[in-house]
Amino acid sequence: MPLYVHVETTNGAYATHNDPDFHNAGMFIRNVVIEYSIGQIKGDGPYRVGLKLDHGWLYVEGLTDYEQHGDQLLLAGHDRLGRLACALHLDIKPLPQGASEVESQ
């Protein structure tokens, strides 16, 4: 079954405000359709999730929390101050596009 995926990682743009030598990095991808043959959750916390795709793997590390809302699975990794470090969202339908759509859910 095809799934819509959202993956986000960040070490935080806020970090650059305190240290001008800090190199900020992040990644964001939304509403890419995938199909996977193997799904794995590993670790004692924080966790890592791997999904085996036809031509490789989708892999997210540093996950600490999850919620399920109907067919939507939301996994997130937060640092010790509660800031988002990574996210993996999976759903059978497209995920909302804008912040206003996410806030209204």
Side-chain angles (χ1 to χ4, degrees):
M1 169 190 325
L3 292 175
Y4 289 87
V5 66
H6 165 87
V7 178
E8 182 174 351
T9 65
T10 180
N11 58 9
Y14 45 79
T16 59
H17 300 151
N18 298 325
D19 183 354
D21 295 324
F22 184 83
H23 177 77
N24 182 43
M27 189 279 282
F28 182 92
I29 188 169
R30 190 162 188 84
N31 282 330
V32 171
V33 179
I34 65 165
E35 290 193 38
Y36 72 96
S37 57
I38 298 170
Q40 297 180 342
I41 301 173
K42 300 283 186 172
D44 295 323
Y47 304 95
R48 53 195 181 277
V49 169
L51 300 172
K52 174 74 170 100
L53 309 176
D54 286 342
H55 300 286
W57 284 83
L58 181 132
Y59 181 82
V60 180
E61 185 171 2
L63 298 162
T64 57
D65 307 285
Y66 78 93
E67 297 178 15
Q68 186 168 355
H69 302 281
D71 293 322
Q72 187 179 63
L73 179 60
L74 312 167
L75 300 106
H78 296 93
D79 70 11
R80 67 183 188 287
L81 298 176
R83 298 174 295 200
L84 183 67
C86 60
L88 171 62
H89 300 177
L90 302 166
D91 201 337
I92 60 171
K93 60 185 183 307
L95 298 157
Q97 289 295 319
S100 61
E101 291 180 70
V102 173
E103 292 168 359
S104 67
Q105 290 187 352

